[in-house]
Amino acid sequence: MKRFDTIDELINDLGIGRATVYRRAKRFGISLSNVSEGISDEDYLKLTKPLQKNSHVDNSENNEKYRIEVLSLKENIETLKTKIESQDKRYEDERKRNNQRETELLEKLSNEQNLLSQSQQLQLLTEQRLHDAENRIKLLESPKKEPKKGFWARFFG
């Protein structure tokens, strides 16, 4: 059993920081309130040893939990990657279909514009021919006017 007048003497004897002493005492359930009455050799050894976060059993349990969680997260990542790849493939297929459809529609539009142009040219040509035919008919239907004959030409001629 070791006795110290103050906690500062204990800290100096251990050669570690104040916060470390309190942390280790809390971890091992050692009361530092009555240091002057003495600390058992077992408690003193506990204070000198560095803290281990958990015992080996606790570490293996935590490791197993973390390993399971990591595996679960990896599975989720792979699932999400697969979903993203399938979405990318669908988007790419949709883009190809849209480009193909756009090309088809542009070709149809071009054909329709050509047909419209041809139709307008035919209509103009037909209107010109109709106008020419109407002029010929007018010429044929109008009576022929003979030039006026003078007095002597009518009389002798």
Side-chain angles (χ1 to χ4, degrees), residues 14-32:
L14 291 171
I16 55 178
R18 181 178 297 276
T20 305
V21 170
Y22 281 105
R23 210 175 18 254
R24 289 180 185 176
K26 180 180 177 186
R27 173 73 177 164
F28 295 114
I30 300 170
S31 173
L32 297 177

Side-chain angles (χ1 to χ4, degrees), residues 48-62:
T48 58
K49 291 183 180 179
L51 282 180
Q52 294 179 354
K53 290 186 179 180
N54 291 329
S55 67
H56 181 67
V57 174
D58 290 342
N59 280 340
S60 64
E61 288 176 10
N62 284 340

Side-chain angles (χ1 to χ4, degrees), residues 133-146:
E134 286 175 350
N135 286 341
R136 276 190 239 130
I137 291 173
K138 284 181 185 177
L139 285 176
L140 291 175
E141 289 179 349
S142 66
K144 290 185 182 178
K145 292 184 181 178
E146 294 183 20

Side-chain angles (χ1 to χ4, degrees), residues 84-95:
I84 288 171
E85 288 172 0
S86 67
Q87 285 288 341
D88 286 346
K89 186 176 184 318
R90 278 193 277 166
Y91 290 142
E92 183 65 24
D93 292 344
E94 188 67 27
R95 188 187 59 78

